[in-house]
Amino acid sequence: MLDVVNIRNDFQILKTGVIYLDSAASSLTPEPVIEKMLEFYRGYRANVERGIHRLSQKASDELLKARRKVQSLINAGSDSEIIFTKNTTEGINSVANGIEWNKGDKVVTTLLEHHSNLVVWQRAARRSGLKLELVQPDKEGLFNIGDFERAIDEKTRLVAVAHVSNVLGSLLPVKEITKIAHTRGAEVLVDAAQSVPHMPVDVRALGCDYLAFSGHKMLGPTGIGVLFVGEGLLKSLEPFCVGGGTIEEGGLEDYELGPSPARFEAGTPPIAEAIGLGGAVDYISKIGLGEIEKHERGLMEKMYSGLSGISNVEVYGPSDPKKRAGILSFNVEGMGPHDVAAILDNTAKIMVRSGQHCAMPLHTKLLNRPNGTVRASIYVYNTKEEIEKFIATVDEISRTLA
Ligand SMILES: Cc1ncc(COP(=O)(O)O)c(C=O)c1O
């Protein structure tokens, strides 16, 4: 079992008495990860891949180690498939801008996507004449696989889906979707922003072609993310940013791109952040993603049954705990989501997110809640007692209107 008391000792912010239920927006960062970044600044602060002196060599070694840690975390076949980005959004944009589209190509995505996996495709449709089709889930955010069978046709170039909904917490059948897409000749991009931090994710088992996630949601620093690109696509995907570090040969009029990952990482990378992400991978791996998933599932069952038991609280997402991750959105009848969030903070130091969570179509078309929802999301440092306090506070808030 996960030792939550010990884990909490690594998070200074928790010592201020806050109850942090906003990890889906951004997680907290433990001391060993902060230390790992300070080690770079204090001990070997230099550029990477650009110097033969010892500091540059050490920085380059540490960057490579971080890349290999990420490779192992998601079971990628080689470290050249791991491209450091700024965040999930940049990773998805890199794919949208790196594929050479033909007019009439089709992209299939879903109605529950975060804007980072929707607006990107809407823009590509606008610019390149793509056809976009959105598969619709049921009210709980669960899909009928037959709807993907119907939507993915021989014109489909790419299927771009979330692994876990950032509003409903529902799990998407990514492996099954990938199988269908590949039989029809389409590639698959997985937005893993809400899965990689919380459960074992294996790109080879999923079979996906691209997978994007963010360091700041998995105990790492801000400003660093990862785009996995399968070996077979590394040459055909055009980097959307070129310059220092990306080329093999350069002349007066032309250039030749070098191998991955350098070809995709133009300019000086976020070195401290990448090394910090490596530290976060170590931290998570030491606890074990299976243990993290189990811990969150236990807390989520408690949170779901507690909130659903309050008469004027409406809870969204799957009722079956096996079909959801540690994200729960809800509304208190007669009260705006921002008001509920502000009261939770002001009265009990409970941090949640409120609004549309960058998922407007989901709120307007699926939930019919244009003002949004309140979202509580959990992670490795949350406790049973915090969830109990949260439920009791929402209960009190709901009674103020009764
Ligand atoms: C499912 C999902 N996709 C993409 C993103 C965008 O992540 P970032 O802001 O780190 O690029 C988020 C962030 O909340 C998310 O939850």
Side-chain angles (χ1 to χ4, degrees):
M1 216 169 75
L2 173 158
D3 184 355
V4 72
V5 174
N6 231 340
I7 289 170
R8 287 173 68 84
N9 269 332
D10 287 330
F11 294 84
Q12 293 290 331
I13 290 178
L14 295 177
K15 298 185 178 149
T16 65
V18 300
I19 295 181
Y20 194 74
L21 296 178
D22 196 19
S23 294
S26 206
S27 71
L28 304 177
T29 300
E31 286 302 306
V33 174
I34 298 168
E35 275 302 318
K36 191 78 196 155
M37 286 186 287
L38 287 177
E39 255 172 51
F40 162 74
Y41 281 117
R42 291 184 176 139
Y44 54 97
R45 168 76 177 81
N47 213 328
V48 287
E49 319 294 352
R50 283 158 175 81
I52 56 155
H53 61 76
R54 72 186 68 185
L55 296 184
S56 179
Q57 290 296 320
K58 168 78 173 156
S60 305
D61 284 353
E62 290 292 331
L63 185 70
L64 179 61
K65 273 195 217 157
R67 200 183 299 280
R68 290 191 171 149
K69 285 172 190 176
V70 173
Q71 175 198 342
S72 151
L73 181 80
I74 60 169
N75 195 28
S78 88
D79 56 47
S80 58
E81 295 176 323
I82 304 299
I83 297 157
F84 285 130
T85 60
K86 188 170 69 180
N87 49 35
T88 306
T89 307
E90 188 177 277
I92 298 172
N93 272 274
S94 300
V95 175
N97 288 286
I99 294 178
E100 205 174 309
W101 301 103
N102 300 310
K103 196 161 186 285
D105 282 346
K106 183 170 166 185
V107 172
V108 172
T109 183
T110 82
L111 190 73
L112 59 62
E113 302 301 319
H114 186 282
H115 294 163
S116 292
N117 195 30
L118 182 60
V119 178
V120 177
W121 309 116
Q122 290 168 337
R123 185 173 76 160
R126 218 192 254 174
R127 279 182 167 175
S128 312
L130 305 184
K131 188 167 176 275
L132 191 58
E133 181 164 347
L134 271 59
V135 178
Q136 186 158 342
D138 67 14
K139 259 288 214 232
E140 292 195 348
L142 299 172
F143 288 89
N144 176 349
I145 198 73
D147 290 335
F148 285 96
E149 295 262 12
R150 272 186 291 281
I152 304 169
D153 58 20
E154 68 289 350
K155 286 255 180 215
T156 307
R157 263 306 271 290
L158 185 77
V159 181
V161 289
H163 201 178
V164 169
S165 160
N166 69 311
V167 179
L168 301 170
S170 52
L171 287 155
L172 276 79
V174 171
K175 200 169 169 180
E176 290 79 1
I177 294 169
T178 302
K179 259 192 211 143
I180 299 167
H182 285 173
T183 59
R184 318 241 156 115
E187 292 165 4
V188 176
L189 177 144
V190 178
D191 172 353
Q194 300 295 352
S195 61
V196 166
H198 303 279
M199 60 191 69
V201 172
D202 178 331
V203 287
R204 281 190 269 184
L206 291 178
C208 59
D209 302 287
Y210 309 99
L211 182 128
F213 56 99
S214 301
H216 70 93
K217 293 185 197 286
M218 52 187 286
L219 310 182
T222 57
I224 185 77
V226 173
L227 174 66
F228 158 83
V229 178
E231 188 78 46
L233 295 166
L234 289 171
K235 288 219 170 86
S236 59
L237 189 73
E238 178 73 17
F240 89 108
C241 191
V242 289
T246 57
I247 63 162
E248 188 117 289
E249 291 287 341
L252 285 181
E253 280 163 17
D254 210 356
Y255 63 91
E256 200 181 312
L257 287 171
S260 184
R263 75 195 266 128
F264 295 105
E265 295 178 357
T268 299
I271 307 167
E273 289 76 5
I275 291 169
L277 176 61
V281 172
D282 281 342
Y283 193 92
I284 283 172
S285 308
K286 213 164 125 200
I287 300 167
L289 276 157
E291 286 299 310
I292 294 176
E293 191 180 23
K294 228 191 286 165
H295 173 72
E296 290 183 16
R297 184 156 291 160
L299 295 182
M300 183 43 65
E301 280 179 28
K302 193 170 191 55
M303 191 189 276
Y304 187 88
S305 66
L307 285 196
S308 338
I310 305 174
S311 62
N312 48 351
V313 167
E314 187 175 44
V315 173
Y316 310 105
S319 44
D320 179 349
K322 285 196 281 310
K323 294 182 177 160
R324 68 150 63 236
I327 293 173
L328 186 65
S329 294
F330 65 97
N331 267 315
V332 178
E333 211 178 285
M335 219 182 244
H338 294 312
D339 294 332
V340 175
I343 299 171
L344 282 166
D345 181 5
N346 294 337
T347 63
K349 285 190 168 180
I350 296 174
M351 314 290 138
V352 293
R353 186 165 168 192
S354 51
Q356 302 212 355
H357 321 300
C358 294
M360 282 190 191
L362 184 156
H363 281 92
T364 53
K365 305 280 183 238
L366 191 69
L367 299 183
N368 196 19
R369 290 289 174 271
N371 292 331
T373 51
V374 187
R375 181 183 73 183
S377 51
I378 52 187
Y379 209 3
V380 62
Y381 32 69
N382 291 120
T383 63
K384 198 161 79 8
E385 292 73 24
E386 286 181 326
I387 303 305
E388 282 161 3
K389 169 96 182 178
F390 168 64
I391 296 165
T393 312
V394 174
D395 188 32
E396 265 170 46
I397 293 171
S398 77
R399 285 170 201 275
T400 59
L401 288 182

